[in-house]
Amino acid sequence: MGEYFASNFTSSSEEKIILGAKTCDLESLRILDSVYANGDFKDPFYIEERGNIILISSDCTRAQDTCFCSLLDLTPYPKEGFDLNLSLVEGGFVLEVGSEKGKKIVEENKELMEEAGEEQLSQREKRRQDVLNEVKEINKDFDSERSFREVIKDSFNSPVWEEAVEKCVDCGGCNHICPTCRCFLLFDEKGKKGFSRTSLWDACLYTGFARVAAGANPRIKLSQRFANRLLCKFGFFPENLGLDACTGCGRCISVCIGKIDMREVVRDLRVKV
Amino acid sequence: MESPYQPTKAKILKIIPETPNIKTFVLKPEDSLEFKAGQFIQLTVPGLGEAPFTPSSSPYEKEKIEVTVMKVGSVTSVLHSLKEEDTIGIRGPYGKEYPLSDFEEKETLIVGGGVGLAPLRSLFLALAKNIERYKKVLFCYGAKTPEDIVYKGAVLKNWQDLHPEKIHFRITVDKADGEWKGKVGLVTTTLDNLEEEIEDIQKSPVIVCGPPIMMKFTTFKLLDLGYRPPNIFLSMEKNMSCGIGKCGHCQTGKYLVCRDGPVLTYDKIKDIPTIWD
Ligand code: SF4
Ligand code: SF4
Ligand code: FES
């Protein structure tokens, strides 16, 4: 039998810059932080990696049909969670400092910048409102007084899930592309000297995700697994953190080969639950 | 950097065959590993996988740790093929312990089915060690056939002789063989005439561990008998990978079974869909 020689979890102590992250990306980090960097056990690799990141976000300059941050009370321009934020205006960017780290970078590079004036700031505000209105316009058919959270909370047995999965092929794409999906599976990788422990992303849409060794599976039906994805985001996370684990990025809509749009599913749930 | 996912080594000191498909492994972890009754550990066979188990030995036993394993899946099959002196990986303990201090002065009921006896053994040994603190323990256990009774010598004799004034037993099998002189019937039948043993059902705790279907019908019967949901402790068997609240596999309703369990009271889980599946 093989033996372990090392852990294959690595984190580099190099600083990395993430440039151009949007509100939906920043928001997802709140979810990931709450999982990996909190609780009785913490993930030291994540924490180290995260600490070495300089986050330079930016305002969205336009919206796509799949964007729906406005439905979750988010705006297409970041309000917090960045080191620096860039807003495109005529002739350059308005740079906003969001952290000590960001402040340091600005101070060290003063010669590249000049004070933003009234004009730039009002232009930033106008562009921000324009894009926000664009997102709202895209989602006007999905807007409702009843939040996603409220609608999804007790919906597990709704017939809507069965209808929704008629086009689902169980590919797990929506899980894998989701910036808040945090589930993984530990596994051992074979090396020259033995095995090392590592992990890979997992997806709750997969049949075996919750199956136990003896064969019992609490989510044996695809509709149950599909429901679980949204129940996790709008049930489990709000109950544990008071936060939705969905940022309205719309990636699960663009990735889906069955053309399933979760906004439509929620709309159906509103009517039929 | 120290990885919370990395197992340490444990040597298999002894392997005790319990039933045709259940073995107990006596392990000596390289780094000492102390657990409290109710917590679980992960056993690893490098390159083949990992599985969660609640130890079956007494939490007061510091030198070694015993784990009783039924052959049900790939990891447990490999475990069953191991020999004494082999080395495996171990990490833990994880999860929450039983609130033993809440059981003091009370009549505690334990209901086990099949291999569900393994984690209950650890609890039982913890209770028995300080039996003066508890008013009474009633131990109900059911196995398929007499051959399937785990820890047979202990269940049928040694434990019964420990503190006969305070610890009582009701043992049953679904199907008898020629030798069997005891009761025949499903484990739920051991709960008939419970008032003969437990005076104050309203205030008493009950701990249940067994296959999902057994847990379901036992819980319903306990509720009928007057047990209160917050006093019904259920061992949840869920898919686990990390064991430390990160990987999401064990998510059940708003709980992570590895973090909030593995034992959860019925009031917490009763509204979770498919909880018995
Ligand atoms: S939706 Fe599924 S894959 Fe994503 S975090 Fe929740 S349980 Fe994990
Ligand atoms: S991406 Fe679409 S088809 Fe794939 S699992 Fe998700 S909902 Fe199903
Ligand atoms: S087993 Fe990983 S979160 Fe519970």
Side-chain angles (χ1 to χ4, degrees):
Chain A
M1 183 177 47
E3 283 208 359
Y4 289 110
F5 65 93
S7 159
N8 220 18
F9 283 85
T10 46
S11 54
S12 65
S13 42
E14 255 169 59
E15 276 201 327
K16 290 193 185 84
I17 296 173
I18 293 182
L19 183 66
K22 303 292 183 275
T23 302
C24 47
D25 301 312
L26 296 180
E27 281 296 311
S28 69
L29 286 174
R30 295 218 286 180
I31 300 298
L32 300 185
D33 288 352
S34 75
V35 173
Y36 300 127
N38 274 292
D40 290 346
F41 296 91
K42 298 180 179 42
D43 187 317
F45 310 104
Y46 176 86
I47 293 171
E48 164 137 30
E49 202 65 58
R50 179 84 167 85
N52 288 329
I53 286 172
I54 298 167
L55 261 177
I56 305 179
S57 55
S58 66
D59 294 0
C60 294
T61 50
R62 61 187 187 86
Q64 294 189 329
D65 287 348
T66 48
C67 293
F68 62 96
C69 58
S70 64
L71 296 179
L72 297 164
D73 293 329
L74 294 168
T75 54
Y77 49 89
K79 290 177 176 162
E80 55 183 349
F82 52 83
D83 294 313
L84 291 172
N85 184 62
L86 296 167
S87 311
L88 182 65
V89 290
E90 249 163 66
F93 292 93
V94 172
L95 190 66
E96 189 178 329
V97 173
S99 73
E100 282 301 314
K101 235 190 218 175
K103 198 169 150 196
K104 209 170 142 236
I105 297 171
V106 169
E107 275 163 5
E108 284 167 3
N109 296 282
K110 276 224 164 86
E111 70 284 1
L112 301 173
M113 305 161 203
E114 59 185 58
E115 191 86 24
E118 262 319 303
E119 204 190 311
Q120 281 96 15
L121 289 179
S122 65
Q123 203 183 83
R124 175 175 86 159
E125 191 49 35
K126 177 165 184 313
R127 291 190 174 191
R128 285 182 161 185
Q129 289 314 317
D130 286 350
V131 182
L132 179 57
N133 288 335
E134 197 185 335
V135 183
K136 284 187 173 159
E137 179 61 25
I138 290 168
N139 289 288
K140 63 177 189 300
D141 293 344
F142 302 115
D143 209 359
S144 155
E145 286 290 290
R146 290 175 66 213
S147 69
F148 280 36
R149 202 188 284 191
E150 195 190 324
V151 174
I152 290 168
K153 203 172 56 187
D154 298 313
S155 65
F156 188 81
N157 292 316
S158 165
V160 169
W161 300 116
E162 286 287 354
E163 294 161 24
V165 294
E166 274 169 19
K167 293 183 293 172
C168 173
V169 296
D170 217 351
C171 69
C174 47
N175 286 140
H176 284 292
I177 203 142
C178 176
T180 74
C181 270
R182 59 69 155 58
C183 290
F184 64 86
L185 184 73
L186 293 174
F187 82 106
D188 295 338
E189 206 166 44
K190 198 169 165 44
K192 284 201 190 76
K193 287 181 278 173
F195 292 96
S196 61
R197 175 143 294 193
T198 179
S199 69
L200 68 148
W201 292 115
D202 208 346
C204 66
L205 257 298
Y206 295 157
T207 325
F209 184 85
R211 185 170 53 211
V212 299
N217 189 344
R219 294 190 291 274
I220 195 147
K221 282 161 62 186
L222 177 56
S223 58
Q224 296 172 326
R225 297 193 296 281
F226 185 92
N228 182 71
R229 184 169 71 91
L230 295 186
L231 280 157
C232 169
K233 301 193 177 307
F234 297 100
F236 175 85
F237 275 98
E239 291 258 24
N240 278 269
L241 297 170
L243 279 180
D244 294 331
C246 175
T247 70
C249 75
R251 290 179 181 119
C252 57
I253 305 170
S254 6
V255 80
C256 183
I257 45 180
K259 296 205 177 352
I260 298 173
D261 186 329
M262 66 172 273
R263 293 171 298 189
E264 291 169 11
V265 177
V266 176
R267 188 175 57 191
D268 291 348
L269 283 170
R270 277 198 188 102
V271 183
K272 294 197 196 161
V273 179
Chain B
M1 195 180 292
E2 200 164 317
S3 166
Y5 309 113
Q6 190 73 12
T8 54
K9 287 180 191 166
K11 192 158 126 190
I12 302 175
L13 297 179
K14 204 169 166 210
I15 299 174
I16 308 162
E18 304 281 0
T19 76
N21 63 351
I22 298 174
K23 287 179 179 174
T24 294
F25 296 80
V26 184
L27 306 171
K28 169 108 185 114
E30 220 163 65
D31 304 330
S32 89
L33 187 156
E34 288 183 16
F35 68 96
K36 302 214 172 78
Q39 290 189 298
F40 72 98
I41 50 121
Q42 292 268 15
L43 286 189
T44 308
V45 186
L48 285 162
E50 204 168 38
F53 299 96
T54 300
S56 52
S57 50
S58 165
Y60 295 100
E61 170 77 70
K62 306 282 182 222
E63 286 304 301
K64 47 192 174 41
I65 182 165
E66 290 174 32
V67 182
T68 301
V69 179
M70 178 159 80
K71 197 169 159 179
V72 284
S74 56
V75 180
T76 49
S77 298
V78 180
L79 285 170
H80 269 244
S81 70
L82 297 179
K83 306 259 168 326
E84 291 177 358
E85 299 292 308
D86 280 347
T87 302
I88 56 172
I90 190 168
R91 57 191 182 95
Y94 303 131
K96 301 253 184 305
E97 70 257 34
Y98 287 105
L100 287 187
S101 56
D102 292 351
F103 301 170
E104 289 180 14
E105 314 290 332
K106 298 206 176 117
E107 306 162 289
T108 301
L109 172 62
I110 297 177
V111 191
V115 75
L117 185 58
L120 295 175
R121 176 175 178 241
S122 168
L123 169 70
F124 174 79
L125 295 172
L127 292 171
K129 182 169 162 77
N130 298 309
I131 192 66
E132 69 287 352
R133 297 183 191 163
Y134 311 100
K135 189 165 171 202
K136 168 172 219 169
V137 174
L138 174 63
F139 202 118
C140 295
Y141 176 62
K144 274 208 184 81
T145 70
E147 209 191 22
D148 295 302
I149 297 178
V150 196
Y151 320 125
K152 210 169 183 173
V155 170
L156 297 180
K157 172 105 180 75
N158 299 357
W159 289 356
Q160 308 218 2
D161 296 341
L162 273 179
H163 301 282
E165 70 302 345
K166 274 198 163 176
I167 308 181
H168 294 177
F169 286 82
R170 288 182 174 183
I171 314 288
T172 179
V173 295
D174 299 353
K175 239 174 92 188
D177 59 15
E179 309 274 279
W180 183 251
K181 301 223 166 45
K183 277 188 57 164
V184 179
L186 294 178
V187 68
T188 40
T189 61
T190 59
L191 303 175
D192 295 339
N193 310 316
L194 198 68
E195 63 288 352
E196 287 170 13
E197 293 276 2
I198 311 278
E199 279 172 30
D200 194 350
I201 285 181
Q202 281 276 326
K203 289 212 178 74
S204 301
V206 50
I207 299 97
V208 189
C209 186
I213 186 93
M214 169 266 174
M215 304 249 287
K216 176 175 172 178
F217 288 111
T218 304
T219 303
F220 292 163
K221 185 146 181 182
L222 292 166
L223 291 167
D224 277 348
L225 288 167
Y227 275 92
R228 294 185 44 245
N231 290 337
I232 304 178
F233 294 82
L234 302 165
S235 268
M236 305 307 301
E237 192 200 2
K238 294 292 158 205
N239 181 310
M240 289 194 191
S241 178
C242 73
I244 58 172
K246 307 290 160 210
C247 77
H249 277 268
C250 65
Q251 191 173 311
T252 301
K254 66 172 177 179
Y255 301 103
L256 290 175
V257 171
C258 71
R259 175 193 71 186
D260 306 312
V263 176
L264 290 170
T265 49
Y266 184 62
D267 57 317
K268 291 186 174 161
I269 58 170
K270 63 180 178 14
D271 297 325
I272 299 175
T274 70
I275 192 67
W276 304 113
D277 296 344

